[in-house]
Amino acid sequence: MTGGLVTHGFDLLLLPLLGRALLRLWEGFQLLAYVCRFVAARAHPKAYTPFVTVIAPCKGDDDGLRRSLPRLAALDFPDYEVVFVVESETDPAYQQLSRWVQQHPGRLRLVVAGLATDSGQKVHNLLAGVAAARPDSEVLAFLDSDIEIPSDWLRELVAPLGDEQVGATSGMRWYSLDNADLPSLWRAHWNTVILTNLQPGGSSFVWGGSMALRRATFAQLRLAERWRGTLSDDYVASAALRAHRRRMVFVPTCLVASSDGLGWRDLWEFTTRQILITRIYHPTMWRIALLWYGFFTLVVLGIGLEGLRDAWAGVLSTAHLGLAGLGLLGGLDDALSLLAVRQALSAQHIGDWRRRIIFCCLHIPTAMLYAANTVVSLFRRVVIWRGIAYRLVSAQQTEILWRTPPSVPTDCP
């Protein structure tokens, strides 16, 4: 290249992007420190250990369920029960769960909820599980059946509820990078954006796949009533907690791994489905995502074209430096996320060095994928989730369009 550094007025639009990247880097350091504090305290005795009902809605006989069953039957917790809930006896998970319940009659139970008619099947199953909980259960914990949990998962999740100012506790899903192909790596990176938004000082969101709250809080929030007619358990629970000004605590030691892979089409459907659900149940967050990721994508594409033109002319420009800086800051933020996950889980779940490098190079592509998801979600109302097609009429009304027969594999990411 020849000549000095070339500048363009359009390059100033990179400044908000670089500023946000620096802020996320700072948040990444905070998240890492927060995770390390929880991990350091993991071996300490926990004072709050009431009787807990764990509710696990199940659908399909997947690998995650088979891995979770032995752990759920022998959690490191004094007194608890696990209520598995399926939609029908024809569900592939029913026979396997029945065998485990027979082996652990005092600890495990199985409930058949029936088919949902006006809400998501998972929400319908959750409500059936809550109704079946023992009367002396003080805490309700909710668990997705396709994730891997450590033996101290319940102890860690319940302990912060000893503070009555805490409304709910939550872990988060981590899509394992172990043996992950490129679509699976990209899904993990896409999901990490949500992970890094869980603020150490108090979160504004709980994830329904690993969540706990006192039974009295569940009743105070009228969560059973709020869930009826909905598809999303966690967005609705989060909104109720915010409305009642109840604190939500992210518990890093309850970060849980999922090891299932997916293809390119499934990646697109999964990410778009999550954003569509966000549009219906948290429209303010969706609008912010639309504006920010739309702005991000337009700026990066515009400055990228400038950079290509300058490279063709043989000159170095601020476009090159700005994009390189944006990618570097994003990569450092991703590296901090991997360090945090390694502390909470294990080195296995952050993959080998090649997958880590690829993961840390996905900052800009993931932002563009978010932009595409938000735009497409504007024109959609139908999602397909676990073999059931739903039309999201509103945040309080869900229509079921069709179901895949239970004999056909119905699991989707």
Side-chain angles (χ1 to χ4, degrees):
M1 291 188 178
T2 60
L5 184 67
V6 175
T7 62
H8 306 282
F10 190 68
D11 295 345
L12 291 174
L13 293 177
L14 266 176
L15 292 178
L17 275 59
L18 292 170
R20 176 57 181 153
L22 284 169
L23 178 60
R24 282 191 63 85
L25 188 61
W26 172 246
E27 292 171 346
F29 278 110
Q30 289 183 310
L31 176 66
L32 178 58
Y34 183 69
V35 170
C36 289
R37 288 199 300 271
F38 267 82
V39 171
R42 193 166 197 165
H44 298 171
K46 303 298 189 293
Y48 186 61
T49 55
F51 184 81
V52 179
T53 296
V54 179
I55 299 168
C58 302
K59 185 174 177 63
D61 184 16
D62 52 44
D63 291 337
L65 176 62
R66 286 191 289 270
R67 288 190 294 266
S68 295
L69 282 172
R71 287 282 175 88
L72 284 170
L75 290 172
D76 178 20
F77 198 82
D79 201 9
Y80 70 97
E81 65 170 350
V82 181
V83 178
F84 297 105
V85 189
V86 295
E87 65 179 41
S88 70
E89 295 183 5
T90 60
D91 190 290
Y94 180 83
Q95 294 300 326
Q96 182 176 185
L97 291 171
S98 295
R99 289 193 295 270
W100 276 91
V101 169
Q102 290 171 5
Q103 294 171 19
H104 304 274
R107 180 57 52 85
L108 308 181
R109 292 196 286 136
L110 179 57
V111 172
V112 177
L115 299 182
T117 58
D118 59 356
S119 65
Q121 186 64 51
K122 179 184 178 182
V123 169
H124 182 73
N125 288 7
L126 290 176
L127 290 172
V130 170
R134 271 175 40 178
D136 58 335
S137 178
E138 186 174 329
V139 169
L140 301 174
F142 302 92
L143 176 71
D144 279 1
S145 63
D146 61 342
I147 54 179
E148 302 173 29
I149 59 171
S151 59
D152 64 349
W153 166 78
L154 189 58
R155 185 182 294 270
E156 291 290 312
L157 189 67
V158 169
L161 294 174
D163 180 355
E164 294 189 358
Q165 299 303 312
V166 175
T169 58
S170 171
M172 190 61 195
R173 184 192 298 270
W174 170 258
Y175 288 103
S176 178
L177 307 189
D178 187 32
N179 296 319
D181 55 15
L182 187 54
S184 300
L185 284 170
W186 204 351
R187 175 184 59 178
H189 192 279
W190 190 95
N191 199 65
T192 304
V193 174
I194 303 170
L195 171 64
T196 54
N197 282 334
L198 296 172
Q199 299 297 325
S203 179
S204 62
F205 178 78
V206 288
W207 176 57
S210 178
M211 175 180 74
L213 70 169
R214 289 172 179 262
R215 195 169 191 169
T217 304
F218 185 92
Q220 179 190 19
L221 299 178
R222 295 184 296 107
L223 209 47
E225 180 181 334
R226 291 173 182 264
W227 272 349
R228 290 190 176 91
T230 69
L231 181 70
S232 175
D233 55 318
D234 39 28
Y235 270 126
V236 174
S238 300
L241 288 159
R242 289 194 301 270
H244 283 75
R245 300 183 182 277
R246 300 302 300 273
R247 186 178 167 208
M248 292 170 264
V249 174
F250 168 51
V251 184
T253 43
C254 293
L255 194 67
V256 288
S258 288
S259 302
D260 58 309
L262 82 173
W264 289 106
R265 181 176 180 180
D266 290 333
L267 170 66
W268 172 251
E269 292 299 327
F270 167 79
T271 54
T272 302
R273 181 179 75 221
Q274 302 307 312
I275 296 299
L276 174 54
I277 292 172
T278 303
R279 181 169 77 86
I280 300 299
Y281 291 97
H282 200 329
T284 300
M285 181 185 291
W286 178 86
R287 291 188 193 101
I288 293 172
L290 177 64
L291 292 173
W292 172 252
Y293 288 114
F295 174 74
F296 183 104
T297 299
L298 290 174
V299 171
V300 168
L301 289 176
I303 292 180
L305 290 174
E306 276 188 352
L308 288 174
R309 185 187 62 189
D310 293 336
W312 184 263
V315 296
L316 180 66
S317 71
T318 52
H320 301 139
L321 297 182
L323 289 175
L326 188 62
L328 177 62
L329 290 172
L332 290 173
D333 179 40
D334 294 334
L336 289 174
S337 297
L338 291 177
L339 286 174
V341 171
R342 180 172 182 169
Q343 290 289 324
L345 291 174
S346 67
Q348 173 191 354
H349 290 300
I350 61 172
D352 56 29
W353 66 270
R354 296 180 184 84
R355 288 177 172 83
R356 295 173 200 170
I357 289 176
I358 295 172
F359 182 89
C360 291
C361 292
L362 291 174
H363 175 72
I364 293 177
T366 294
M368 291 182 167
L369 179 56
Y370 264 98
N373 296 145
T374 53
V375 170
V376 171
S377 70
L378 184 61
F379 306 100
R380 285 194 181 183
R381 283 278 176 175
V382 175
V383 299
I384 301 174
W385 191 7
R386 290 272 186 168
I388 304 175
Y390 302 96
R391 175 180 285 114
L392 306 183
V393 180
S394 69
Q396 294 78 37
Q397 184 178 357
T398 304
E399 293 181 355
I400 297 177
L401 302 179
W402 50 261
R403 296 172 178 269
T404 302
S407 59
V408 178
T410 59
D411 295 321
C412 62

Short mmCIF file of all heavy atoms in Angstrom, two decimals, residues 54 56 65-84 97 99-109 143 149-151 153-154:
data_model
loop_
_atom_site.label_atom_id
_atom_site.label_comp_id
_atom_site.label_asym_id
_atom_site.label_seq_id
_atom_site.Cartn_x
_atom_site.Cartn_y
_atom_site.Cartn_z
N VAL A 54 -38.74 -30.15 41.97
CA VAL A 54 -38.13 -29.87 40.67
C VAL A 54 -39.11 -30.34 39.60
O VAL A 54 -39.52 -31.50 39.59
CB VAL A 54 -36.79 -30.61 40.50
CG1 VAL A 54 -36.20 -30.32 39.12
CG2 VAL A 54 -35.81 -30.20 41.58
N ALA A 56 -39.76 -30.93 35.67
CA ALA A 56 -39.02 -31.13 34.43
C ALA A 56 -39.97 -31.54 33.31
O ALA A 56 -40.33 -32.72 33.20
CB ALA A 56 -37.94 -32.20 34.62
N LEU A 65 -31.82 -36.04 28.03
CA LEU A 65 -32.67 -36.64 29.06
C LEU A 65 -32.01 -37.88 29.64
O LEU A 65 -31.99 -38.07 30.86
CB LEU A 65 -34.04 -36.98 28.46
CG LEU A 65 -35.02 -37.71 29.38
CD1 LEU A 65 -35.35 -36.86 30.59
CD2 LEU A 65 -36.29 -38.09 28.62
N ARG A 66 -31.45 -38.72 28.78
CA ARG A 66 -30.80 -39.94 29.28
C ARG A 66 -29.62 -39.61 30.17
O ARG A 66 -29.35 -40.32 31.15
CB ARG A 66 -30.37 -40.80 28.09
CG ARG A 66 -31.52 -41.51 27.39
CD ARG A 66 -31.02 -42.55 26.40
NE ARG A 66 -30.41 -41.92 25.24
CZ ARG A 66 -31.07 -41.59 24.14
NH1 ARG A 66 -32.38 -41.80 24.09
NH2 ARG A 66 -30.46 -41.05 23.11
N ARG A 67 -28.88 -38.53 29.86
CA ARG A 67 -27.75 -38.16 30.69
C ARG A 67 -28.19 -37.54 32.01
O ARG A 67 -27.50 -37.65 33.03
CB ARG A 67 -26.84 -37.17 29.94
CG ARG A 67 -26.04 -37.80 28.81
CD ARG A 67 -24.99 -36.82 28.29
NE ARG A 67 -25.60 -35.67 27.66
CZ ARG A 67 -25.84 -35.57 26.35
NH1 ARG A 67 -25.52 -36.57 25.56
NH2 ARG A 67 -26.39 -34.49 25.84
N SER A 68 -29.33 -36.86 32.01
CA SER A 68 -29.79 -36.14 33.20
C SER A 68 -30.42 -37.05 34.24
O SER A 68 -30.36 -36.76 35.45
CB SER A 68 -30.80 -35.06 32.81
OG SER A 68 -30.21 -34.07 32.02
N LEU A 69 -31.06 -38.13 33.82
CA LEU A 69 -31.83 -38.97 34.75
C LEU A 69 -31.02 -39.47 35.94
O LEU A 69 -31.48 -39.35 37.09
CB LEU A 69 -32.47 -40.13 33.99
CG LEU A 69 -33.73 -39.76 33.18
CD1 LEU A 69 -34.17 -40.93 32.32
CD2 LEU A 69 -34.85 -39.33 34.13
N PRO A 70 -29.82 -40.03 35.75
CA PRO A 70 -29.07 -40.50 36.93
C PRO A 70 -28.74 -39.37 37.90
O PRO A 70 -28.78 -39.56 39.12
CB PRO A 70 -27.80 -41.10 36.31
CG PRO A 70 -28.17 -41.43 34.89
CD PRO A 70 -29.13 -40.37 34.49
N ARG A 71 -28.42 -38.19 37.38
CA ARG A 71 -28.09 -37.06 38.25
C ARG A 71 -29.32 -36.59 39.03
O ARG A 71 -29.24 -36.25 40.21
CB ARG A 71 -27.53 -35.91 37.41
CG ARG A 71 -26.12 -36.15 36.90
CD ARG A 71 -25.09 -35.91 38.00
NE ARG A 71 -23.76 -36.23 37.58
CZ ARG A 71 -22.94 -35.37 36.96
NH1 ARG A 71 -23.36 -34.15 36.67
NH2 ARG A 71 -21.72 -35.75 36.65
N LEU A 72 -30.47 -36.51 38.35
CA LEU A 72 -31.68 -36.03 39.01
C LEU A 72 -32.12 -36.96 40.13
O LEU A 72 -32.73 -36.52 41.10
CB LEU A 72 -32.80 -35.88 37.98
CG LEU A 72 -32.71 -34.66 37.07
CD1 LEU A 72 -33.74 -34.75 35.95
CD2 LEU A 72 -32.92 -33.39 37.88
N ALA A 73 -31.80 -38.23 40.00
CA ALA A 73 -32.18 -39.19 41.04
C ALA A 73 -31.24 -39.13 42.25
O ALA A 73 -31.57 -39.67 43.30
CB ALA A 73 -32.19 -40.60 40.47
N ALA A 74 -30.11 -38.45 42.10
CA ALA A 74 -29.11 -38.44 43.19
C ALA A 74 -28.47 -37.07 43.34
O ALA A 74 -27.25 -36.95 43.42
CB ALA A 74 -28.05 -39.51 42.92
N LEU A 75 -29.27 -36.02 43.36
CA LEU A 75 -28.74 -34.67 43.54
C LEU A 75 -28.19 -34.48 44.95
O LEU A 75 -28.67 -35.09 45.92
CB LEU A 75 -29.84 -33.64 43.28
CG LEU A 75 -30.30 -33.47 41.84
CD1 LEU A 75 -31.52 -32.56 41.78
CD2 LEU A 75 -29.19 -32.92 40.96
N ASP A 76 -27.19 -33.64 45.07
CA ASP A 76 -26.59 -33.32 46.36
C ASP A 76 -27.46 -32.28 47.07
O ASP A 76 -27.14 -31.09 47.11
CB ASP A 76 -25.16 -32.78 46.14
CG ASP A 76 -24.49 -32.38 47.45
OD1 ASP A 76 -24.94 -32.85 48.51
OD2 ASP A 76 -23.53 -31.58 47.40
N PHE A 77 -28.59 -32.77 47.60
CA PHE A 77 -29.55 -31.88 48.27
C PHE A 77 -30.33 -32.73 49.27
O PHE A 77 -30.71 -33.87 48.98
CB PHE A 77 -30.50 -31.26 47.24
CG PHE A 77 -31.22 -30.05 47.72
CD1 PHE A 77 -30.60 -28.81 47.71
CD2 PHE A 77 -32.51 -30.13 48.23
CE1 PHE A 77 -31.25 -27.67 48.16
CE2 PHE A 77 -33.18 -29.01 48.70
CZ PHE A 77 -32.54 -27.77 48.67
N PRO A 78 -30.58 -32.17 50.47
CA PRO A 78 -31.17 -32.99 51.54
C PRO A 78 -32.53 -33.60 51.22
O PRO A 78 -32.75 -34.80 51.43
CB PRO A 78 -31.29 -32.00 52.72
CG PRO A 78 -30.31 -30.92 52.42
CD PRO A 78 -30.26 -30.81 50.92
N ASP A 79 -33.47 -32.80 50.72
CA ASP A 79 -34.83 -33.32 50.56
C ASP A 79 -35.50 -32.64 49.37
O ASP A 79 -35.70 -31.42 49.37
CB ASP A 79 -35.63 -33.05 51.84
CG ASP A 79 -36.84 -33.97 51.96
OD1 ASP A 79 -36.95 -34.91 51.14
OD2 ASP A 79 -37.67 -33.74 52.86
N TYR A 80 -35.86 -33.44 48.39
CA TYR A 80 -36.48 -32.88 47.19
C TYR A 80 -37.25 -33.97 46.46
O TYR A 80 -37.08 -35.16 46.74
CB TYR A 80 -35.43 -32.28 46.26
CG TYR A 80 -34.54 -33.31 45.59
CD1 TYR A 80 -34.81 -33.76 44.29
CD2 TYR A 80 -33.44 -33.84 46.24
CE1 TYR A 80 -34.00 -34.70 43.67
CE2 TYR A 80 -32.63 -34.79 45.64
CZ TYR A 80 -32.90 -35.22 44.36
OH TYR A 80 -32.10 -36.16 43.76
N GLU A 81 -38.08 -33.56 45.52
CA GLU A 81 -38.75 -34.48 44.61
C GLU A 81 -38.60 -33.94 43.20
O GLU A 81 -38.43 -32.73 42.99
CB GLU A 81 -40.23 -34.62 44.96
CG GLU A 81 -41.03 -33.34 44.77
CD GLU A 81 -42.53 -33.53 44.89
OE1 GLU A 81 -42.99 -34.69 44.93
OE2 GLU A 81 -43.26 -32.50 44.93
N VAL A 82 -38.64 -34.83 42.22
CA VAL A 82 -38.60 -34.45 40.81
C VAL A 82 -39.91 -34.91 40.17
O VAL A 82 -40.25 -36.09 40.24
CB VAL A 82 -37.41 -35.06 40.06
CG1 VAL A 82 -37.41 -34.61 38.60
CG2 VAL A 82 -36.10 -34.68 40.73
N VAL A 83 -40.62 -33.96 39.58
CA VAL A 83 -41.87 -34.28 38.89
C VAL A 83 -41.62 -34.14 37.39
O VAL A 83 -41.45 -33.02 36.88
CB VAL A 83 -43.01 -33.34 39.33
CG1 VAL A 83 -44.29 -33.66 38.55
CG2 VAL A 83 -43.24 -33.45 40.83
N PHE A 84 -41.55 -35.26 36.70
CA PHE A 84 -41.44 -35.25 35.24
C PHE A 84 -42.85 -35.10 34.66
O PHE A 84 -43.80 -35.71 35.16
CB PHE A 84 -40.83 -36.55 34.72
CG PHE A 84 -39.42 -36.79 35.19
CD1 PHE A 84 -39.14 -37.73 36.17
CD2 PHE A 84 -38.37 -36.07 34.65
CE1 PHE A 84 -37.85 -37.97 36.61
CE2 PHE A 84 -37.07 -36.29 35.08
CZ PHE A 84 -36.81 -37.24 36.06
N LEU A 97 -39.01 -42.80 31.41
CA LEU A 97 -39.28 -42.13 32.68
C LEU A 97 -40.02 -43.05 33.64
O LEU A 97 -39.75 -43.04 34.85
CB LEU A 97 -40.10 -40.87 32.43
CG LEU A 97 -39.37 -39.72 31.72
CD1 LEU A 97 -40.35 -38.63 31.34
CD2 LEU A 97 -38.26 -39.16 32.59
N ARG A 99 -39.74 -46.24 33.96
CA ARG A 99 -38.77 -47.17 34.57
C ARG A 99 -38.00 -46.49 35.69
O ARG A 99 -37.78 -47.08 36.76
CB ARG A 99 -37.82 -47.71 33.50
CG ARG A 99 -38.49 -48.68 32.52
CD ARG A 99 -37.46 -49.42 31.69
NE ARG A 99 -36.73 -48.51 30.81
CZ ARG A 99 -37.12 -48.20 29.57
NH1 ARG A 99 -38.24 -48.71 29.07
NH2 ARG A 99 -36.40 -47.39 28.82
N TRP A 100 -37.57 -45.26 35.47
CA TRP A 100 -36.81 -44.55 36.49
C TRP A 100 -37.69 -44.23 37.71
O TRP A 100 -37.22 -44.30 38.86
CB TRP A 100 -36.22 -43.27 35.92
CG TRP A 100 -34.92 -43.52 35.22
CD1 TRP A 100 -34.74 -43.82 33.91
CD2 TRP A 100 -33.62 -43.54 35.82
NE1 TRP A 100 -33.40 -44.01 33.64
CE2 TRP A 100 -32.69 -43.84 34.80
CE3 TRP A 100 -33.15 -43.32 37.11
CZ2 TRP A 100 -31.32 -43.93 35.04
CZ3 TRP A 100 -31.78 -43.41 37.36
CH2 TRP A 100 -30.89 -43.71 36.33
N VAL A 101 -38.92 -43.88 37.50
CA VAL A 101 -39.83 -43.60 38.60
C VAL A 101 -40.06 -44.84 39.45
O VAL A 101 -40.10 -44.78 40.68
CB VAL A 101 -41.17 -43.04 38.06
CG1 VAL A 101 -42.22 -43.00 39.16
CG2 VAL A 101 -40.96 -41.64 37.48
N GLN A 102 -40.17 -45.99 38.82
CA GLN A 102 -40.35 -47.25 39.55
C GLN A 102 -39.13 -47.58 40.39
O GLN A 102 -39.24 -48.15 41.48
CB GLN A 102 -40.64 -48.39 38.56
CG GLN A 102 -42.01 -48.28 37.91
CD GLN A 102 -42.19 -49.29 36.78
OE1 GLN A 102 -41.33 -50.15 36.55
NE2 GLN A 102 -43.32 -49.20 36.08
N GLN A 103 -37.94 -47.19 39.91
CA GLN A 103 -36.70 -47.46 40.65
C GLN A 103 -36.51 -46.49 41.81
O GLN A 103 -35.80 -46.81 42.77
CB GLN A 103 -35.50 -47.38 39.70
CG GLN A 103 -35.48 -48.45 38.63
CD GLN A 103 -34.38 -48.20 37.60
OE1 GLN A 103 -33.42 -47.47 37.83
NE2 GLN A 103 -34.52 -48.82 36.42
N HIS A 104 -37.11 -45.30 41.72
CA HIS A 104 -36.94 -44.28 42.77
C HIS A 104 -38.32 -43.73 43.15
O HIS A 104 -38.61 -42.54 42.94
CB HIS A 104 -36.05 -43.15 42.28
CG HIS A 104 -34.71 -43.61 41.79
ND1 HIS A 104 -33.63 -43.79 42.63
CD2 HIS A 104 -34.27 -43.93 40.54
CE1 HIS A 104 -32.58 -44.19 41.92
NE2 HIS A 104 -32.94 -44.29 40.66
N PRO A 105 -39.18 -44.56 43.75
CA PRO A 105 -40.57 -44.15 43.99
C PRO A 105 -40.73 -42.99 44.96
O PRO A 105 -41.70 -42.25 44.89
CB PRO A 105 -41.22 -45.42 44.53
CG PRO A 105 -40.08 -46.21 45.10
CD PRO A 105 -38.91 -45.92 44.23
N GLY A 106 -39.82 -42.79 45.88
CA GLY A 106 -39.96 -41.71 46.84
C GLY A 106 -39.38 -40.40 46.37
O GLY A 106 -39.59 -39.35 47.00
N ARG A 107 -38.65 -40.45 45.27
CA ARG A 107 -37.93 -39.26 44.82
C ARG A 107 -38.45 -38.74 43.48
O ARG A 107 -38.51 -37.54 43.24
CB ARG A 107 -36.44 -39.63 44.71
CG ARG A 107 -35.49 -38.54 44.24
CD ARG A 107 -35.53 -37.30 45.09
NE ARG A 107 -35.37 -37.49 46.51
CZ ARG A 107 -34.20 -37.58 47.15
NH1 ARG A 107 -33.08 -37.53 46.48
NH2 ARG A 107 -34.16 -37.72 48.46
N LEU A 108 -38.82 -39.65 42.58
CA LEU A 108 -39.24 -39.27 41.24
C LEU A 108 -40.72 -39.58 41.03
O LEU A 108 -41.21 -40.62 41.50
CB LEU A 108 -38.42 -40.01 40.18
CG LEU A 108 -36.89 -39.95 40.31
CD1 LEU A 108 -36.24 -40.71 39.15
CD2 LEU A 108 -36.38 -38.52 40.35
N ARG A 109 -41.41 -38.70 40.32
CA ARG A 109 -42.81 -38.93 39.96
C ARG A 109 -43.01 -38.55 38.49
O ARG A 109 -42.26 -37.76 37.93
CB ARG A 109 -43.76 -38.11 40.84
CG ARG A 109 -43.78 -38.57 42.27
CD ARG A 109 -44.97 -38.01 43.02
NE ARG A 109 -44.83 -36.60 43.33
CZ ARG A 109 -45.78 -35.70 43.18
NH1 ARG A 109 -46.96 -36.04 42.65
NH2 ARG A 109 -45.58 -34.43 43.50
N LEU A 143 -36.64 -27.14 35.27
CA LEU A 143 -35.46 -27.66 34.58
C LEU A 143 -35.83 -28.21 33.21
O LEU A 143 -36.75 -29.02 33.10
CB LEU A 143 -34.82 -28.78 35.42
CG LEU A 143 -33.62 -29.49 34.81
CD1 LEU A 143 -32.40 -28.57 34.79
CD2 LEU A 143 -33.31 -30.78 35.60
N ILE A 149 -26.63 -31.42 34.02
CA ILE A 149 -26.51 -30.67 35.27
C ILE A 149 -25.47 -31.32 36.18
O ILE A 149 -25.30 -32.54 36.18
CB ILE A 149 -27.86 -30.58 36.00
CG1 ILE A 149 -28.41 -31.99 36.29
CG2 ILE A 149 -28.86 -29.77 35.20
CD1 ILE A 149 -29.62 -31.99 37.20
N PRO A 150 -24.78 -30.52 37.00
CA PRO A 150 -23.88 -31.09 38.01
C PRO A 150 -24.68 -31.57 39.21
O PRO A 150 -25.85 -31.20 39.39
CB PRO A 150 -22.98 -29.90 38.37
CG PRO A 150 -23.83 -28.71 38.13
CD PRO A 150 -24.72 -29.06 36.95
N SER A 151 -24.06 -32.35 40.06
CA SER A 151 -24.79 -32.92 41.22
C SER A 151 -25.20 -31.85 42.22
O SER A 151 -26.17 -32.04 42.97
CB SER A 151 -23.91 -33.97 41.91
OG SER A 151 -22.69 -33.39 42.35
N TRP A 153 -26.30 -28.86 41.39
CA TRP A 153 -27.11 -27.87 40.68
C TRP A 153 -28.22 -27.30 41.56
O TRP A 153 -28.39 -26.08 41.66
CB TRP A 153 -27.71 -28.50 39.42
CG TRP A 153 -28.81 -27.71 38.80
CD1 TRP A 153 -28.70 -26.60 38.01
CD2 TRP A 153 -30.23 -27.94 38.94
NE1 TRP A 153 -29.94 -26.12 37.65
CE2 TRP A 153 -30.90 -26.92 38.20
CE3 TRP A 153 -30.98 -28.89 39.60
CZ2 TRP A 153 -32.28 -26.85 38.11
CZ3 TRP A 153 -32.37 -28.82 39.52
CH2 TRP A 153 -33.01 -27.82 38.78
N LEU A 154 -28.98 -28.15 42.22
CA LEU A 154 -30.13 -27.68 42.99
C LEU A 154 -29.68 -26.90 44.22
O LEU A 154 -30.27 -25.86 44.57
CB LEU A 154 -31.00 -28.86 43.41
CG LEU A 154 -32.35 -28.52 44.04
CD1 LEU A 154 -33.19 -27.66 43.10
CD2 LEU A 154 -33.12 -29.78 44.41
#
